[in-house]
Amino acid sequence: MPGLFVSIDGTTQEYASDPRHQSSRWEPPCGAPESVEMLCLIIFCLDLAVKSYLIGWEEFRKSKWLISYTVVICISVVDWMLSVSMECDEKLRVRRLVRPFFLLQNSSLMKKTLKCIKRTLPEIASVILLLALHLCLFTMIGMLLFAKNADQKKNGEWELHFKNLTTSLTSLLVLLTTANNPDVMIPAYSLNRCYAIFFIIFSIIGTYCLMNLLTAIIYNQFRGYLLMSVQTSIIRRRLGIRAAFHVLSCHNAQTEAQELVRVDAVLQVMSRVNMKRFYKSAITVASQQFAEQGYMDRQQFRKIFDELDKDCIKEHPPLPQYTSATLQKLQVVFSHYYLTVLGNLVALANVLCICTILVLNSEKSTEERDNYILEVINLCFILFYLSEMSVKIFAFGWRGYLSYRSNIFDGFLTVVLLILQIAIFITYRLPYSQEPSSRGVMSLWEMVRLVNMLIVFRFLRIIPDIKLMALVASTLLDLVKNLRAFAGILVVVYYVFAVFGIWLFEGAIKPPPQMSVFSLDNTTSNFSTVCGTYEQLGYWPNNFDDFAAAIILLYDVMIVNNWQAFMEAYSRYTSEWSKVYFVCWWLTSSVMWVNLFVALILENFIYKWDRSHSCSVTDVEKIRYETSVQFMFK
């Protein structure tokens, strides 16, 4: 498989973003992407026409989203026509920038999330203004402290970080993210240790106070919006239930004065409604409790719809019944919780064995390693895993065994490991007579490495058996399930900034002609660079030459580790105004979006912690549905 991605000369040129290694990229023929675009635009036009017809002209004029939908489609069609008329030779395609709107417009969750962010912006702006004031104040103080001296030996701080206003602002802005600490203060600190007080005070106020205050404000506003969303959802449901009660009671003239609804009418409606089977059966059962009376009042009618707030708690099938007393005793033993504890201890021992052998073989090449020792050890453990799975199936039965998610995870990996072991012994028989690397599609080391990865991954089975770890894991699972709206907006933001970055900086950074092409050992000749710069750090693959490379570069800047190297390089190769682009991306991603993500994690975890502080592991699983952010946005 790795060979599929390697070219003849041993480098991955087709998939490399490094301009020193790239070959000519494949470009689709003109007309092929445009045909797909036109098909999508026709679908969007039909969608807009149907929505406009259904809601009417009056409601259409009130909908800002539908009006914007129309404008974006028109812009896309005009730009598409220009692209076709110019035979796909234009450099600037506006429709690329507006494409994310189609994703936002068709997702109600994203619209509500944007509304949440919009409500948070005024408070964020006040803190960012205070942060800017703090930055400007310390910039002026720094330029006064580290002014140019007649003695050239004392100008290190001025030369590197406070030479002019732009350099001073950039240095302290990067220090705010701790990306250049302690490098920014070393020249001054080497002359006088008292200079460190300036940088320490700046970091305490800016990094530890104002930045954390920003996180607190975002969390507070975000939490308030979630609570308001829950209240709005409850109000809408109650209005809908009351309207349904009114409609059903109007069709019963005899009971209209008493405001009652016939039970058979409710059951008839429930038989036709499109709803999840669990909720439909629960509401039907709750309605049948009033079958003897034949009617329900408003309070009773509202109460039966409380079943919508509940979720299906999966019940495990009963244990199989054995007639033999011996089998019954074995069933009790094998269904005991201590068997799971023993399995976890064995899995831990297996991971420790792998870790020990990897440490002992860390200095050896793959050809020098004795992989058969590790293979035999793994075989013994895998046989235990297989026997553990077999006895659990005996104790719980097939349906009972598969009713536990941990057993599905454990059993699937055990079967995969068993298949790999069989494949290894078919390919490499013991004792072996020829070099293992000369047999099969994969070498013995590659197969053993795959087995080891799966064994280490299987060790995650311990998570459900530790209460706090199960709570954290369930919170993470909730985030994965309910982050669709946030992830969608993050994708939109990444896409927009990547397109802008390609427009502004595509091909801006090119390797110097005197630089030799890197070989696999990353050696160069005839080229020297300043320490800590983009060139010296070898950041050539991080560029805006294509969309994938732009996404990776934006991610690296979002992490804010050495992001000053990118900002400094593009300001040298283009202009000082390029720093505005990187600062805007830092504010959007690292300041705004990361804090929103932290707020979401805090909201989920704190609520779950409060609810499960005195619960068992199974109780944690039962209340998982109560913290779904997706349900909050209904």
Side-chain angles (χ1 to χ4, degrees), residues 135 169-181 563-564 567:
L135 187 63
L169 278 172
T170 304
S171 299
L172 291 182
L173 177 64
V174 175
L175 179 60
L176 198 64
T177 65
T178 69
N180 61 349
N181 184 66
W563 71 295
Q564 72 276 9
M567 191 161 50

Side-chain angles (χ1 to χ4, degrees), residues 258-384:
Q258 294 83 14
E259 289 189 299
L260 299 176
V261 172
R262 292 177 54 183
V263 175
D264 57 351
V266 176
L267 295 176
Q268 185 178 3
V269 172
M270 291 305 303
S271 63
R272 298 181 180 180
V273 72
N274 185 15
M275 187 183 296
K276 287 185 178 181
R277 184 180 301 176
F278 168 75
Y279 295 119
K280 182 183 290 189
S281 60
I283 295 175
T284 302
V285 171
S287 302
Q288 289 174 348
Q289 297 176 358
F290 307 99
E292 296 182 359
Q293 303 176 6
Y295 296 97
M296 284 186 289
D297 58 19
R298 179 178 298 175
Q299 188 68 20
Q300 293 170 338
F301 184 78
R302 185 191 61 81
K303 188 175 181 181
I304 64 174
F305 288 96
D306 290 342
E307 300 295 330
L308 294 173
D309 295 323
K310 302 177 183 178
D311 202 359
C312 179
I313 300 176
K314 190 174 183 180
E315 296 182 358
H316 301 291
L319 299 178
Q321 301 295 325
Y322 296 103
T323 57
S324 172
T326 304
L327 294 179
Q328 290 177 358
K329 292 180 180 179
L330 290 175
Q331 185 183 30
V332 172
V333 173
F334 294 146
S335 62
H336 202 278
Y337 176 70
Y338 286 151
L339 179 64
T340 302
V341 175
L342 176 62
N344 292 337
L345 293 176
V346 173
L348 176 61
N350 193 358
V351 173
L352 291 177
C353 288
I354 295 174
C355 182
T356 302
I357 294 178
L358 290 177
V359 171
L360 295 176
N361 294 336
S362 60
E363 298 295 331
K364 298 180 181 179
S365 65
T366 56
E367 290 77 11
E368 296 173 343
R369 299 184 182 188
D370 189 357
N371 297 311
Y372 277 91
I373 296 177
L374 183 58
E375 173 58 27
V376 172
I377 294 174
N378 286 341
L379 175 62
C380 298
F381 282 106
I382 291 172
L383 291 177
F384 173 83

Side-chain angles (χ1 to χ4, degrees), residues 77-90 95:
V77 171
V78 172
D79 190 62
W80 181 89
M81 295 172 64
L82 291 174
S83 179
V84 173
S85 63
M86 298 174 66
E87 297 181 354
C88 311
D89 196 32
E90 80 283 9
R95 65 182 184 278

